[in-house]
């Protein structure tokens, strides 16, 4: 109609107001929908506790997943807890103090033989990453007989590697004395003070031990021994009740592996932060490993 006609102008004004009102309604509804979506996402964020027993390089995927907030991407707030040694970590899992443990297959197997019902839901590494390392006074494997050898605990991969390594070296494990030192750093400290003559140590502390002048007697990374090394372990009943949470955690940590490979500088900073290592050579070595 003619815009100069007062009646037509009134109709146009009414239509304009209606259009603005419709837009306002759409905006409000859209805002409420968006707000509801954010509230829903926030409500779905699940907190889980993930414990690891060593400051070794093999735990890097767990560390980087947290540092890059990939856990939150999958709706999890994964609190990382450092518990020294496989025994302590396994006990925390069995007591339900934590939901997940980053442990070796040895720790899980021994617990299950004792009546537990733990299960591996994912494994990072299918080889032992330990070295049997000795002080300079040990000139041959037979010199270890009657000596003290440091391990992280009596139930984890470290003591398994010590026993298997001694067999490879022709030494009966019963002829040495194993001493649980909690972690790699504890073993190194014991060797430096001469309280221990040797130790079963994983990297990067294995390379650090070599730089300190200790000698490698056996390196499992140079063998083809298959082994379920660092794994994501939980209680079977927890998996049955929380399959979606377990799946989210595994997705986040798998993406963490991809992230650390494509962000080497961030990965080395993460190693330095958690493993407390500043030596550039050791950081480069650890990332390659």
């Amino acid at each position: 109609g003619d815009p100069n006609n007062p009646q037509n102008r009134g109709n146009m004004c009414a239509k304009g107001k209606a259009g603005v009102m419709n837009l306002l309604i759409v905006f409000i509804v859209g805002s409420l929908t968006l707000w509801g979506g954010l509230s829903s996402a926030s409500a779905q964020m699940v907190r889980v506790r993930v414990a690891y027993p060593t400051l070794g390089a093999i735990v890097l995927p767990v560390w980087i997943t947290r540092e890059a907030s990939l856990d939150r991407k999958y709706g999890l707030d994964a609190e990382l807890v450092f518990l020294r040694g496989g025994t302590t970590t396994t006990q925390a899992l069995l007591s339900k103090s934590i939901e997940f443990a980053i442990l070796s297959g040895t720790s899980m197997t021994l617990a299950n033989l004792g009546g537990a019902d733990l299960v591996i839901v994912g494994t990072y590494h299918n080889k032992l990453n330990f070295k049997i390392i000795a002080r300079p006074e040990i000139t041959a494997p037979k010199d270890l007989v009657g000596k003290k050898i440091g391990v992280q605990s009596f139930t984890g991969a470290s003591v398994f590697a010590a026993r298997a390594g001694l067999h490879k070296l022709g030494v009966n494990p019963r002829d040495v004395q194993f001493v649980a030192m909690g972690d790699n750093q504890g073993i190194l400290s014991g060797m430096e003070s001469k309280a221990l003559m040797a130790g079963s140590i994983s990297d990067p502390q294995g390379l650090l031990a070599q730089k300190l002048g200790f000698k490698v007697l056996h390196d499992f990374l140079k063998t083809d021994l298959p082994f379920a090394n660092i794994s994501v372990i939980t209680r079977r009943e927890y998996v049955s009740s929380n399959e979606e949470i377990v799946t989210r955690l595994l997705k986040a940590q798998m993406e963490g592996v991809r992230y650390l490979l494509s962000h080497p500088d961030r990965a080395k900073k993460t190693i330095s932060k958690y493993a407390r290592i500043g030596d550039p050579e050791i950081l480069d070595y650890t990332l390659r490993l």
Side-chain angles (χ1 to χ4, degrees):
D2 182 0
N4 294 320
N5 186 317
Q7 183 177 355
N8 289 337
R9 284 202 303 269
N11 291 337
M12 290 174 63
C13 182
K15 290 179 180 178
K17 290 180 180 178
V20 171
M21 183 59 70
N22 287 337
L23 286 174
L24 182 60
I25 291 172
V26 170
F27 175 76
I28 292 173
V29 172
S31 299
L32 290 173
T33 301
L34 176 60
W35 181 260
L38 291 174
S39 299
S40 176
S42 176
Q44 291 175 0
M45 191 70 66
V46 178
R47 186 178 185 184
V48 294
R49 290 153 298 185
V50 183
Y52 57 96
T54 178
L55 299 179
I58 206 69
V59 190
L60 177 56
V62 181
W63 297 335
I64 198 75
T65 297
R66 178 63 176 178
E67 289 295 299
S69 296
L70 296 174
D71 56 334
R72 301 188 72 83
K73 175 180 176 180
Y74 288 93
L76 297 177
D77 178 11
E79 177 188 356
L80 301 188
V81 183
F82 175 45
L83 300 175
R84 293 192 176 199
T87 302
T88 304
T89 309
T90 302
Q91 289 172 347
L93 188 59
L94 293 174
S95 68
K96 301 185 180 181
S97 299
I98 58 175
E99 283 73 42
F100 298 95
I102 309 301
L103 284 168
S104 72
T106 303
S107 298
M108 186 204 74
T109 301
L110 290 174
N112 284 353
L113 287 173
D117 196 15
L118 304 181
V119 62
I120 292 176
V121 293
T123 298
Y124 288 114
H125 200 245
N126 63 351
K127 294 180 70 175
L128 279 168
N129 65 317
F130 283 84
K131 296 177 172 67
I132 307 301
I133 298 179
R135 287 190 53 81
E137 298 93 311
I138 303 298
T139 59
K142 64 180 181 179
D143 296 337
L144 293 173
V145 174
K147 302 298 191 300
K148 293 180 179 180
I149 297 180
V151 295
Q152 293 176 6
S153 71
F154 294 132
T155 61
S158 178
V159 70
F160 177 88
R163 293 180 182 278
L166 289 173
H167 276 299
K168 289 285 186 181
L169 294 169
V171 177
N172 190 330
R174 294 182 179 179
D175 294 336
V176 305
Q177 181 181 348
F178 293 122
V179 182
M181 302 299 291
D183 58 13
N184 285 328
Q185 190 55 52
I187 298 173
L188 270 181
S189 297
M191 291 176 64
E192 287 183 284
S193 67
K194 297 186 179 182
L196 304 172
M197 285 294 106
S200 175
I201 303 177
S202 60
D203 286 311
Q205 287 80 7
L207 177 59
L208 180 58
Q210 292 174 255
K211 296 187 72 171
L212 291 173
F214 301 138
K215 62 175 69 174
V216 177
L217 299 182
H218 186 73
D219 185 351
F220 279 98
L221 283 177
K222 296 181 179 179
T223 70
D224 57 359
L225 177 67
F227 185 80
N229 198 357
I230 292 297
S231 303
V232 183
I233 297 175
T234 186
R235 301 178 299 278
R236 191 178 298 275
E237 54 88 11
Y238 182 84
V239 176
S240 300
S241 304
N242 301 277
E243 184 176 344
E244 181 185 351
I245 293 175
V246 175
T247 303
R248 285 192 213 171
L249 184 81
L250 292 178
K251 285 182 177 181
Q253 293 188 357
M254 283 190 284
E255 188 163 336
V257 173
R258 183 176 66 178
Y259 184 92
L260 72 88
L261 294 175
S262 58
H263 297 78
D265 290 338
R266 180 75 180 276
K268 284 189 282 189
K269 287 180 180 178
T270 300
I271 297 167
S272 180
K273 174 181 175 179
Y274 284 86
R276 304 160 197 166
I277 292 174
D279 187 320
E281 180 187 356
I282 295 180
L283 291 175
D284 287 339
Y285 170 82
T286 303
L287 183 58
R288 290 197 305 273
L289 176 63

